Amino acid sequence: MKEVAKMIGYRPEVKVVDATLRDGGLVNDFFFPKGFAKALYETNVKAGVDIMEFGYKADKELFDVDKFGPCKFCDDDYIRSIVGENNTDMKIAVMADVGRCNYKRDIIEKKDSPIDLVRVATYLKEIPTAIDVIEDCTRKGYETSCNIMALSTGQESDIKAALDLLGQTPVGILYIVDSYGSIYPEEMARVCDLFGNYAAKYNKKLGIHAHDNQRLAFANTIECVGDGVDYLDATYMCMGRGAGNCAMESLLGFLHNPKYQLYPAIQFIENHMVPLKESGVVWGYDTQYLMTGLLNQHPRTAIAFTKEGRKDLTNYYKELTSQE
């Protein structure tokens, strides 16, 4: 059992990362209401959030710019239109999704960009390319993280090999990503131990990005806090792909560092998140997402089930289990 003294105190190394525009943008094709991104930025500053992720650096040759909002592509001029010179303590991040970005062309030199951190998202099979992205962005002057997706489907030997390779790169943060929302807290403790061995060996920090398919995103995130993970992803009102993510308001309420302020988050939820949900944007826990989490499957079929307005949960469960 974790020491009570550690749970009621706080570690100043812990950093809160807002992923609302990026993961949340997956449910509305990044078309947020006018003024939403600016209000979110100002809220994060007031709430003491350490890093705000603006979205993806997606390749415009792969994705139609007319079908997505600006946070799909995160042009530097767009980010500047929101943050100006960002004369705050909060850092700005974007995600480079391996195979879906042209990092050599679209990620410019850090000295010419408002971006501080590039989060490299990769599957285990893409690690060599992820390393090239990390090295390219480091040469350009950025901080980097590596988010290993779909971790729950990987073989432990492959995960160890990936962590060993990544440890030898200049990447600063190794991220545990529960893409399918299938990991339980007691399992998460073991994952943290595995990642922690490599973080200690190579002097890296750890991060957690959890999904809420089994309503465990917050539980898994605070489990990681007690296990030495420093970078904690969250989104307002859990907004994110499918079942969503760890709730920012829950996380800010839990952390004991007085720099974090809950009231600005509550204001933002009332003024922006609730109206967004009432407008018809759909995300959050539901039974179909629970099923994919229990079965350790990608939620794409549950997302389709939701979009089609299906109610036949028993038939859907049979479909899922027939794939096993």
Side-chain angles (χ1 to χ4, degrees):
M1 182 178 291
K2 295 176 178 61
E3 295 179 31
V4 173
K6 290 184 178 179
M7 298 306 288
I8 64 174
Y10 72 89
R11 290 188 296 107
E13 299 86 4
V14 166
K15 309 294 182 186
V16 173
V17 183
D18 170 41
T20 306
L21 289 179
R22 202 272 307 165
D23 214 318
L26 293 170
V27 307
N28 63 354
D29 292 331
F30 305 90
F31 287 114
F32 290 95
K34 184 177 180 181
F36 184 96
K38 181 68 171 179
L40 178 59
Y41 170 74
E42 292 173 349
T43 295
N44 283 330
V45 172
K46 291 177 184 176
V49 169
D50 299 282
I51 300 170
M52 178 175 173
E53 185 180 41
F54 263 75
Y56 289 96
K57 273 286 189 182
D59 188 346
K60 293 179 182 178
E61 293 182 6
L62 294 178
F63 299 94
D64 188 341
V65 294
D66 296 324
K67 293 182 178 179
F68 298 94
C71 292
K72 178 75 171 179
F73 307 100
C74 284
D75 292 337
D76 291 74
D77 288 343
Y78 169 72
I79 295 176
R80 278 203 184 88
S81 74
I82 305 298
V83 309
E85 294 303 314
N86 188 32
N87 295 317
T88 75
D89 293 331
M90 185 173 70
K91 294 182 178 181
I92 304 302
V94 296
M95 180 163 281
D97 198 354
V98 171
R100 299 179 179 88
C101 65
N102 188 330
Y103 55 98
K104 292 185 178 178
R105 180 193 66 198
D106 294 334
I107 299 178
I108 63 174
E109 295 288 330
K110 166 67 185 81
K111 63 182 178 61
D112 300 318
S113 173
I115 298 164
D116 302 293
L117 168 67
V118 178
R119 285 154 52 97
V120 180
T122 182
Y123 292 104
L124 286 167
K125 64 182 180 180
E126 300 167 332
I127 290 295
T129 305
I131 290 172
D132 193 60
V133 181
I134 290 164
E135 291 176 343
D136 182 76
C137 291
T138 301
R139 284 193 297 270
K140 291 172 179 174
Y142 295 95
E143 299 175 44
T144 57
S145 73
C146 188
N147 298 32
I148 305 176
M149 299 184 289
L151 198 64
S152 59
T153 64
Q155 297 292 325
E156 184 172 325
S157 58
D158 292 338
I159 295 170
K160 288 180 176 179
L163 291 172
D164 199 44
L165 287 170
L166 289 167
Q168 299 172 62
T169 75
V171 72
I173 312 159
L174 300 172
Y175 253 88
I176 300 163
V177 184
D178 184 15
S179 299
Y180 300 168
S182 61
I183 299 176
Y184 294 96
E186 59 268 27
E187 295 174 312
M188 188 61 76
R190 294 194 292 272
V191 174
C192 288
D193 186 58
L194 171 62
F195 271 65
N197 289 335
Y198 287 89
K201 178 180 179 180
Y202 291 108
N203 193 28
K204 308 297 184 184
K205 295 290 188 179
L206 295 180
I208 172 65
H209 181 86
H211 277 263
D212 211 25
N213 297 62
Q214 298 188 81
R215 290 182 171 172
L216 291 173
F218 176 57
N220 279 327
T221 300
I222 64 175
E223 170 67 39
C224 289
V225 175
D227 290 330
V229 174
D230 289 336
Y231 287 77
L232 315 176
D233 283 17
T235 63
Y236 288 87
M237 245 172 84
C238 301
M239 187 183 186
R241 186 208 65 198
N245 306 103
C246 173
M248 177 67 77
E249 56 274 20
S250 297
L251 186 59
L252 293 176
F254 168 79
L255 295 171
H256 301 290
N257 189 333
K259 72 167 286 190
Y260 297 123
Q261 300 296 315
L262 180 60
Y263 185 66
I266 300 300
Q267 285 184 306
F268 182 78
I269 288 169
E270 178 181 353
N271 296 332
H272 298 277
M273 299 304 299
V274 172
L276 186 64
K277 195 139 198 175
E278 289 176 344
S279 73
V281 180
V282 178
W283 75 86
Y285 170 85
D286 216 328
T287 308
Q288 57 269 30
Y289 295 117
L290 169 67
M291 294 180 193
T292 58
L294 287 168
L295 296 170
N296 194 22
Q297 293 184 14
H298 193 289
R300 62 174 61 89
T301 58
I303 293 169
F305 181 98
T306 305
K307 286 183 177 180
E308 293 165 11
R310 289 177 59 181
K311 305 295 181 185
D312 55 330
L313 290 166
T314 52
N315 284 334
Y316 177 61
Y317 183 73
K318 292 175 184 177
E319 293 169 11
L320 289 177
T321 53
S322 69
Q323 299 174 25
E324 291 294 291

